[in-house]
Amino acid sequence: MPELVIETKGVSKIFGGLTAVNSVDLQIPKGHIYSIIGPNGAGKTTLFNCISGFYTPEHGEILFLGRKIQGSSTDLIAGMGISRTYQNIRLFGNLTAIENILVGQHTKLVTNWLDAIIHTRRYRVENSTSLSEAKDILKFVGLEGLGDYLALNLPYGMQRRLEIGRALANGPTLLLLDEPTAGMNPQETVDMVRLIRKLRDELGISIILIEHDMKLVMDISDHISVLDYGTKIAEGMPKEIQSNDRVIEAYLGPGGAALAAKYQSRKRNNHA
Amino acid sequence: MKPPNLFRKSAEKGLVYSLVMIFMMMIGFHVVAANLMSKVFGVTVLRGSIPEVRFMAFVHILFAFLFGWGASDRQRDKKSRIRQGLITSLTAGGIIALFSVLLNYLVEAQIDIRQYLTAFSADSMRYFILNQGQSGIFVLFAIYLFTGLLGTILAIIFQSEKAQTSRQSLKAKIGEAAQTFSDKMPTLVKKHWKYGIYAILVVVLLIMPMRWGSYYNFVASVVGVYVIAGIGLNIMVGLSGQLMLGYAAFFAMGAYSVALLNAPTPHGIMLGFWPSLLVGVVAAMIGAVLLGLPIMRLRGDYLAIVTLGFGEIIRILLKSDLLIDFTGGPRGIHAIQGPTLFGRSFTSDSDYVYLILVFIAISIFIYQRLANSRTGRAWLAIKEDPIAAQATGINLRGYKLLALIIGAAFAGLVGGIAAARNAFTGPNDHSLMVSINVLSLLIVGGMNSIPGIVLGAFALRGLPEILREVETYRQLAFGILLIVMMLVRPKGLWPGSRPVLEKVDEEVVEEISTEIKKPKRKRTHA
Amino acid sequence: MIATKKENFLLKLRGSGTIIRYILGILAGGYLLWRLYRVFIVQSAFGLETWTRLLIAGLVIGSVYALIAIGYTLVYGVLFMINFAHGEVMMLGSFAGFFVLEATRAMEVNGPGGVATSFSNAYPGLAILLAFVAGMSFSALVGFYLEKIAYRPLRKAPRLIPLISAIGASFALQNAALLLFSPQTRTYQNPDILTRGQGWRLMINDSAVILPYTGVFTMVLSIILMVGLILLVKRTRLGKSMRAVAMDKDTAALMGIDVNKTISNTFIISGILAGSAGVMWGLHNGLLHYFVGFLPGIKAFTAAVLGGIGNIPGAMLGGMVLGLLEALGPAALDISFQLKDVIAFVIMIVILIFKPSGLLGEVLSEEKV
């Protein structure tokens, strides 16, 4: 059994009468790209919000490296090493790109406002190291030379990458990516996939991914879970998910599996 | 065929323009405008007397011209632009003429309505129609019609493509000349010319207080006090994004600390200025904690209203009989003792100007270091997007509270200094008006920018003191200015910029910026 | 682990805001109870007649607050902004009514008995009606142009920008009134049948308590207006489109609702209510100057928040409650009447801190992640 980075045990989140996430158990191994897929409104983002501390689940436990984290606030969870990006980009638009990354380093830095006023030794040291680290991160996400642009002036694809850069800045163990390729053109998507792989392979970060682009998901994921109406309906390797009848029905509606099988066989016949 | 709504729109415009003019007359501003006009022509007018008639005519001509200039839309063709100008000028002139008929009637029938509308004295009404009676009405109509048309025609000529291209080429030539001039400069000057300007500024500021009369020193210290207050409020509003409308309460804490501890009445403690100033700063900081802790989770406009309520509570308490023995009630506290430094007590106005200058320098120093540190960036992040900021690990409450505390410390400091300078403090020195003044100077000048704050303080506090004529109209102008700034330049006159941290070579930037079509602008939002 | 230590510390610190809130709440509550005990049991300073008097004053002022508060709530409902200048809209309406009453008083007509008398006494109903029409229409006009000039261009801007514009508008209107009408305090000239201070005499504990005509008039009229407003919002097309715009501007626009027009209408309606409140305020209180809109404005906002902003019945309830608290509070706590404004502000702060959704309001939904 590999070491788990996140383990959820029976996590449920209820809004009013609506159960957005219903008793979900996940075991997410360290160093994997783990995708969560499902139709719209399946509770994927709600699950993310539970893990990153925006919501406190009504039932269940969330363990991060074996420690309970549900109920902690988002800033503390960020400090433990969970970073995230958002479905609709949430950069600090009127800060420059490099400042966004410096803000991302917040939990890693220690100097306070008094250090800043007096310019203590440790402030000066920290300042120069954090700045050079920030430049490295800019380079890593492919935004070298763009650090002094306001974040809101960057093109869409670059903003996505900058958001990942900000999330990387505090050296996270786990990265939650919420639809990182939404609204991107094919070239940008390819770049993004390369970047996500690099995150796992070079930095060894575990990644949980929400994504609608099935081709991408099947291509990139080590492991997939499928949510539908807040309930986990399947999990496994990409291959297993592709042929899972329940998953297909969740996307295509009842009878979907049969339809898909028919389609597949016709395609095969055409080939033959 | 002309567009269907051209007539109506132009007539509406004329109506609005004429209402502006009529409103100016109703508040008596036309006399002041003529007064300013006479100043432009170098004619001094005795205080309280009405300037010569020709200046009123000039004011009418000026406004008619501006109305004509603004009457037409750029996008339309010449013919309909002239038509627009004609309709607007006709409507404006017509309505103003009708209004003048009314004025003339009031003057001739000797009806006195000053009891209701203060500006309607016979002199002022007659002056509006150029002291001419009935013939003046026709003159006015003619002025608005013909000068308005002239304005439209000149606007068309000025905005024509030919004029625009020639202006652009002129601009380019000037730019080139400036470029060659700066190329010829030695690199030392090129890189550090800013410091040169700062040095000159500092020298001027050091010499001037001795040269100025005490009046200008008074103005300078008022502006200076507002600069420090503006820097403090900027930490709350500009950096951490908490709209504070009760800033004067912290002001009051500083002022009353100095007053109670360093004045002969009501307590006669006479602790000395510096210790009591320190107490004032600490009191303001404690006040910020007490106010801040419970209101941390409130958002934008709610926060504004609660802080407004807080400020008013403090003022009402200071004014009430409840604390009259302790704080002197509505009468305030007199004869507050000023500071002594190296055995020399501060007496003259210039002494205080120097004192305030020193504190301005300290404030700017602290502000600059904070704004570009981890703390400052955390504040800006909170202002931009509190939820995302918290998710990057920033403790929202802690940082918001810190901003309140530091901002309040500035207010306490400046309140104490102002109390000592005026040798007096009372509840009305700490009204909502003060809070709004400080906020307006930030908004007009530009947030997160020291030059902006200085500019704002000068524009809102210094100019009205110097232009005594418009003093009465200051508050009105404030209100209008706030709206206009929000509509036209929400970031202020001189908005702050973010520091250049990555420092990439120019060529590389050039190369990349062709990829990004947007201009390289580094501006923070108001 | 150092990090864990720091986290634990932070966790403890995090609770401190709530704890301090509750400590403050308990202290304040205890103080209040002690005060009430002193006043009612130990001192029993005031008799029933005084309380009745205060109750009447509270109800009257509360109904005025309620009318103004509805204006805040309506505007907040459709634009999510605090119309800071709303108090000034009321003040200008009050001035308009004042001028009409002055004019009708100056006009000489032959009264019913053939005696020469002023118009306002010969036809008091008509004079008052004219005053209300003038006040309402002027306030509506001011509200309409206020929105058009100062708020509409800023509808897409960050929230603080329209608020600052509103503060500017409040300032501008206040000072325009100051410059136009001079700083002097004026007295409303009521027609004789509505003379201030006169009313039905109620005998309580052998002393006369006056139920003033102006007060009853104010209460009745404001109730009529409020019922009318509720009918308007619930029954008419305009009300329906207002509710639609309040829920979702974009969708409402897609459904064919003219959003700009609906928002303008909202400002007109809130202006009408504020104008009538201004005239009532003038008739009942009598005093009028350029600053008269500021405090009622802030207090009515408090009332709107108290009831739950965005909620029309809430604004009515909030106005009444605030009026009563303000009238009864100083006596009940035995503090100086100078401090009655403090009561309103303290209530506002306490409500916003402990129950920002107000008495009847829904929980303001947190911004979505």
Side-chain angles (χ1 to χ4, degrees):
Chain A
M1 183 93 191
E3 195 188 346
L4 295 180
V5 61
I6 282 279
E7 186 174 13
T8 67
K9 293 180 183 164
V11 168
S12 294
K13 175 72 200 170
I14 301 158
F15 294 111
L18 181 83
T19 310
V21 173
N22 189 4
S23 182
V24 170
D25 299 309
L26 293 176
Q27 280 98 30
I28 298 172
K30 216 171 173 181
H32 275 205
I33 295 178
Y34 192 106
S35 291
I36 299 176
I37 61 172
N40 284 326
K44 305 179 299 275
T45 300
T46 308
L47 188 63
F48 259 31
N49 286 338
C50 289
I51 296 175
S52 55
F54 287 113
Y55 299 148
T56 308
E58 269 77 17
H59 306 288
E61 267 190 344
I62 301 173
L63 302 176
F64 172 60
L65 297 175
R67 274 169 65 192
K68 260 206 308 198
I69 57 167
Q70 82 268 25
S72 295
S73 68
T74 48
D75 49 327
L76 293 183
I77 289 177
M80 293 172 195
I82 300 181
S83 290
R84 71 170 291 182
T85 66
Y86 303 85
Q87 203 170 336
N88 38 358
I89 305 174
R90 300 186 81 138
L91 284 168
F92 307 121
N94 285 302
L95 296 182
T96 60
I98 198 165
E99 281 182 307
N100 268 280
I101 294 186
L102 289 170
V103 171
Q105 292 174 341
H106 189 85
T107 53
K108 240 168 76 176
L109 308 181
V110 289
T111 56
N112 59 22
W113 60 282
L114 271 176
D115 292 312
I117 292 174
I118 308 165
H119 265 206
T120 52
R121 220 184 97 78
R122 75 173 174 158
Y123 177 83
R124 276 172 286 151
V125 171
E126 188 184 273
N127 219 9
S128 64
T129 52
S130 71
L131 200 61
S132 69
E133 267 178 39
K135 284 179 190 170
D136 290 344
I137 288 175
L138 273 183
K139 204 168 169 181
F140 186 84
V141 297
L143 295 174
E144 194 184 14
L146 295 169
D148 289 327
Y149 282 84
L150 288 189
L152 59 87
N153 285 344
L154 293 175
Y156 184 79
M158 292 188 179
Q159 291 194 6
R160 282 263 180 228
R161 276 187 274 155
L162 178 60
E163 208 186 17
I164 292 180
R166 183 180 70 188
L168 283 181
N170 63 347
T173 328
L174 172 68
L175 195 58
L176 310 175
L177 300 177
D178 197 345
E179 297 195 29
T181 67
M184 281 186 164
N185 64 35
Q187 184 54 45
E188 286 171 330
T189 308
V190 170
D191 290 346
M192 181 54 75
V193 169
R194 204 173 295 147
L195 177 63
I196 294 173
R197 283 227 172 87
K198 231 166 77 171
L199 291 176
R200 178 192 59 185
D201 299 341
E202 290 181 20
L203 303 180
I205 297 173
S206 317
I207 292 166
I208 310 182
L209 186 73
I210 292 179
E211 190 49 72
H212 279 301
D213 184 341
M214 282 308 139
K215 201 163 151 274
L216 185 154
V217 168
M218 297 306 163
D219 185 26
I220 203 176
S221 316
D222 300 314
H223 209 97
I224 298 175
S225 276
V226 188
L227 291 188
D228 189 27
Y229 291 110
T231 319
K232 188 174 79 176
I233 56 171
E235 73 172 307
M237 312 292 279
K239 270 263 152 31
E240 298 162 24
I241 297 297
Q242 265 171 330
S243 53
N244 186 315
D245 285 354
R246 278 193 75 187
V247 177
I248 297 169
E249 292 211 352
Y251 274 94
L252 297 181
L259 206 72
K262 217 163 136 193
Y263 178 73
Q264 288 285 346
S265 67
R266 191 186 300 163
K267 219 164 98 180
R268 229 170 289 133
N269 291 344
N270 283 355
H271 271 280
Chain B
M1 201 44 206
K2 64 180 176 187
N5 58 357
L6 184 139
F7 180 80
R8 214 188 107 206
K9 277 215 161 150
S10 298
E12 262 178 17
K13 224 174 206 177
L15 175 71
V16 171
Y17 287 162
S18 61
L19 286 181
V20 169
M21 202 63 213
I22 291 172
F23 179 71
M24 272 172 48
M25 188 271 142
M26 286 174 78
I27 60 175
F29 189 75
H30 63 299
V31 181
V32 178
N35 211 326
L36 290 174
M37 186 61 90
S38 73
K39 253 191 184 172
V40 172
F41 283 89
V43 180
T44 34
V45 182
L46 288 177
R47 249 187 116 74
S49 68
I50 288 178
E52 284 172 61
V53 167
R54 60 183 169 125
F55 296 120
M56 188 64 235
F58 289 156
V59 170
H60 279 303
I61 289 172
L62 176 70
F63 275 90
F65 184 81
L66 290 178
F67 292 166
W69 186 279
S72 59
D73 305 325
R74 256 161 205 254
Q75 309 89 307
R76 293 184 195 270
D77 61 295
K78 260 183 218 170
K79 215 169 156 190
S80 44
R81 284 188 77 170
I82 293 197
R83 204 177 282 140
Q84 278 181 315
L86 187 68
I87 297 167
T88 307
S89 304
L90 262 177
T91 343
I95 293 169
I96 289 170
L98 280 180
F99 180 67
S100 308
V101 171
L102 175 72
L103 290 184
N104 197 34
Y105 167 74
L106 287 175
V107 172
E108 278 174 3
Q110 296 187 334
I111 299 172
D112 188 4
I113 56 164
R114 265 183 300 170
Q115 190 193 343
Y116 301 116
L117 294 165
T118 36
F120 280 59
S121 70
D123 282 346
S124 132
M125 288 193 280
R126 217 178 295 132
Y127 190 61
F128 185 78
I129 28 180
L130 309 171
N131 290 354
Q132 298 287 322
Q134 252 166 18
S135 57
I137 297 167
F138 293 108
V139 174
L140 271 193
F141 184 68
I143 286 180
Y144 278 92
L145 183 57
F146 293 116
T147 325
L149 267 181
L150 185 70
T152 313
I153 292 166
L154 282 183
I156 293 171
I157 294 171
F158 188 77
Q159 289 161 356
S160 70
E161 266 171 46
K162 217 167 131 193
Q164 268 174 352
T165 43
S166 72
R167 264 205 309 282
Q168 265 165 5
S169 69
L170 188 69
K171 230 186 214 169
K173 265 182 204 159
I174 293 174
E176 259 172 46
Q179 192 60 43
T180 46
F181 180 73
S182 74
D183 282 346
K184 278 181 193 158
M185 290 292 218
T187 28
L188 193 75
V189 179
K190 232 195 296 185
K191 273 200 172 154
H192 302 288
W193 61 274
K194 266 189 187 164
Y195 297 99
I197 290 182
Y198 290 153
I200 294 170
L201 212 68
V202 167
V203 170
V204 167
L205 283 176
L206 284 181
I207 295 172
M208 285 319 277
M210 285 184 280
R211 300 276 166 151
W212 281 336
S214 72
Y215 179 67
Y216 282 101
N217 273 328
F218 162 72
V219 175
S221 57
V222 169
V223 173
V225 161
Y226 272 82
V227 168
I228 301 178
I231 292 173
L233 188 66
N234 187 54
I235 292 176
M236 296 180 184
V237 184
L239 287 181
S240 76
Q242 307 176 76
L243 188 60
M244 162 69 67
L245 285 181
Y247 197 58
F250 303 123
F251 227 69
M253 289 173 194
Y256 270 87
S257 299
V258 170
L260 294 173
L261 296 175
N262 206 28
T265 52
H267 304 297
I269 297 172
M270 306 308 277
L271 188 65
F273 175 76
W274 298 109
S276 37
L277 186 65
L278 189 67
V279 171
V281 170
V282 173
M285 290 164 97
I286 292 173
V289 175
L290 291 182
L291 171 69
L293 273 180
I295 67 171
M296 277 297 89
R297 47 176 200 174
L298 296 179
R299 278 179 293 122
D301 29 13
Y302 278 140
L303 186 83
I305 297 281
V306 165
T307 53
L308 182 150
F310 172 72
E312 286 295 285
I313 288 175
I314 298 285
R315 190 182 63 87
I316 296 170
L317 284 180
L318 288 174
K319 210 172 179 172
S320 70
D321 295 337
L322 193 71
L323 297 174
I324 199 162
D325 296 330
F326 186 65
T327 62
R331 279 173 293 109
I333 298 173
H334 293 267
I336 299 165
Q337 296 299 300
T340 50
L341 203 61
F342 309 123
R344 183 168 173 279
S345 64
F346 282 51
T347 45
S348 73
D349 283 312
S350 57
D351 289 344
Y352 279 100
V353 174
Y354 284 121
L355 180 74
I356 290 168
L357 278 177
V358 168
F359 278 110
I360 288 180
I362 295 173
S363 313
I364 292 177
F365 177 79
I366 292 177
Y367 169 78
Q368 291 288 21
R369 289 212 152 166
L370 279 180
N372 296 322
S373 69
R374 172 178 179 247
T375 313
R377 280 191 294 269
W379 281 333
L380 283 168
I382 292 172
K383 181 186 172 190
E384 290 282 317
D385 186 341
I387 290 173
Q390 197 177 13
T392 54
I394 293 166
N395 176 357
L396 284 191
R397 283 190 195 181
Y399 275 92
K400 278 170 142 182
L401 196 59
L402 183 66
L404 285 187
I405 294 170
I406 295 177
F410 280 95
L413 175 84
V414 92
I417 295 173
R421 209 215 83 91
N422 301 333
F424 167 76
T425 195
N428 288 337
D429 289 354
H430 312 291
S431 64
L432 179 66
M433 199 43 231
V434 176
S435 305
I436 293 200
N437 274 346
V438 183
L439 183 69
S440 325
L441 82 83
L442 269 188
I443 287 158
V444 170
M447 285 193 200
N448 298 341
S449 135
I450 295 292
I453 292 171
V454 174
L455 195 68
F458 182 74
L460 293 189
R461 297 298 312 185
L463 273 187
E465 297 285 354
I466 294 169
L467 293 174
R468 279 268 141 190
E469 292 86 357
V470 298
E471 171 70 24
T472 336
Y473 302 94
R474 189 172 81 194
Q475 317 279 36
L476 178 66
F478 255 31
I480 295 174
L481 196 64
L482 279 187
I483 302 175
V484 171
M485 287 303 287
M486 287 302 105
L487 295 178
V488 182
R489 249 189 112 91
K491 291 174 185 180
L493 294 173
W494 192 326
S497 56
R498 300 306 309 153
V500 176
L501 294 174
E502 201 189 7
K503 290 180 190 139
V504 188
D505 289 337
E506 287 291 323
E507 289 88 53
V508 182
V509 173
E510 286 292 305
E511 203 176 288
I512 300 163
S513 59
T514 49
E515 204 176 317
I516 302 173
K517 267 133 210 149
K518 286 193 180 160
K520 188 182 183 185
R521 284 278 81 172
K522 296 183 290 290
R523 291 268 159 96
T524 52
H525 206 279
Chain C
M1 250 169 77
I2 302 167
T4 336
K5 228 182 209 172
K6 195 181 160 196
E7 278 157 23
N8 285 338
F9 174 70
L10 282 176
L11 266 178
K12 265 181 213 157
L13 202 72
R14 188 167 312 277
S16 68
T18 328
I19 292 169
I20 287 179
R21 271 209 302 280
Y22 281 101
I23 290 175
L24 284 178
I26 289 166
L27 282 180
Y31 175 77
L32 279 181
L33 284 180
W34 177 72
R35 242 10 241 237
L36 289 175
Y37 167 77
R38 295 267 305 168
V39 172
F40 282 100
I41 313 292
V42 182
Q43 298 173 337
S44 56
F46 305 109
L48 191 60
E49 71 279 5
T50 313
W51 291 117
T52 318
R53 225 170 266 148
L54 294 174
L55 185 75
I56 293 168
L59 285 174
V60 173
I61 212 158
S63 52
V64 174
Y65 286 163
L67 278 185
I68 311 173
I70 291 171
Y72 278 103
T73 275
L74 285 177
V75 169
Y76 194 92
V78 295
L79 282 187
F80 297 103
M81 69 166 282
I82 297 168
N83 180 10
F84 206 86
H86 195 58
E88 271 57 58
V89 173
M90 170 218 151
M91 176 267 293
L92 290 171
S94 194
F95 264 105
F98 166 78
F99 284 127
V100 168
L101 284 180
E102 286 284 305
T104 54
R105 200 171 177 83
M107 250 198 289
E108 292 272 324
V109 289
N110 279 330
V115 200
T117 168
S118 71
F119 181 87
S120 76
N121 282 333
Y123 309 103
L126 192 58
I128 289 172
L129 183 72
L130 280 177
F132 272 97
V133 168
M136 287 168 165
S137 41
F138 192 59
S139 286
L141 202 70
V142 173
F144 175 76
Y145 278 105
L146 181 70
E147 191 269 337
K148 206 166 177 186
I149 295 169
Y151 304 152
R152 183 173 297 178
L154 303 174
R155 213 173 280 162
K156 293 242 154 61
R159 280 170 68 130
L160 287 190
I161 288 184
L163 180 65
I164 290 167
S165 178
I167 292 172
S170 158
F171 237 65
L173 291 176
Q174 216 176 77
N175 285 288
L178 166 69
L179 291 167
L180 283 173
F181 309 132
S182 88
Q184 87 186 83
T185 304
R186 295 151 199 283
T187 321
Y188 244 71
Q189 300 291 337
N190 295 10
D192 288 342
I193 59 157
L194 267 184
T195 310
R196 265 184 300 284
Q198 291 200 350
W200 294 283
R201 297 164 75 82
L202 313 172
M203 295 306 286
I204 295 170
N205 286 358
D206 296 331
S207 62
V209 175
I210 290 174
L211 179 61
Y213 298 134
T214 51
V216 175
F217 178 72
T218 302
M219 277 189 275
V220 171
L221 189 60
S222 59
I223 288 169
I224 292 172
L225 283 170
M226 285 188 241
V227 171
L229 179 85
I230 288 181
L231 288 179
L232 180 111
V233 171
K234 288 229 162 118
R235 294 281 165 82
T236 64
R237 241 177 111 81
L238 171 62
K240 216 184 253 177
S241 56
M242 275 167 67
R243 280 181 288 151
V245 169
M247 275 179 199
D248 188 338
K249 282 194 225 7
D250 296 332
T251 312
L254 286 177
M255 297 292 133
I257 293 170
D258 185 342
V259 174
N260 280 342
K261 206 172 149 196
T262 308
I263 291 175
S264 284
N265 283 333
T266 310
F267 271 84
I268 288 174
I269 292 169
S270 68
I272 288 174
L273 294 177
S276 60
V279 178
M280 285 178 208
W281 183 275
L283 287 172
H284 183 70
N285 260 11
L287 299 182
L288 177 62
H289 51 83
Y290 74 101
F291 204 61
V292 88
F294 178 75
L295 272 183
I298 296 282
K299 285 179 189 165
F301 171 74
T302 308
V305 171
L306 185 65
I309 196 149
N311 181 323
I312 294 171
M316 297 171 186
L317 180 71
M320 283 295 175
V321 170
L322 187 72
L324 286 176
L325 285 177
E326 202 181 288
L328 300 174
L333 300 175
D334 191 23
I335 54 176
S336 148
F337 269 85
Q338 281 176 331
L339 297 181
K340 75 176 169 42
D341 298 337
V342 172
I343 290 182
F345 287 125
V346 169
I347 289 171
M348 173 176 77
I349 293 180
V350 167
I351 288 285
L352 280 177
I353 291 170
F354 289 99
K355 198 170 184 324
S357 56
L359 296 176
L360 300 185
E362 301 149 40
V363 180
L364 291 174
S365 56
E366 282 284 314
E367 210 185 333
K368 271 200 176 159
V369 180

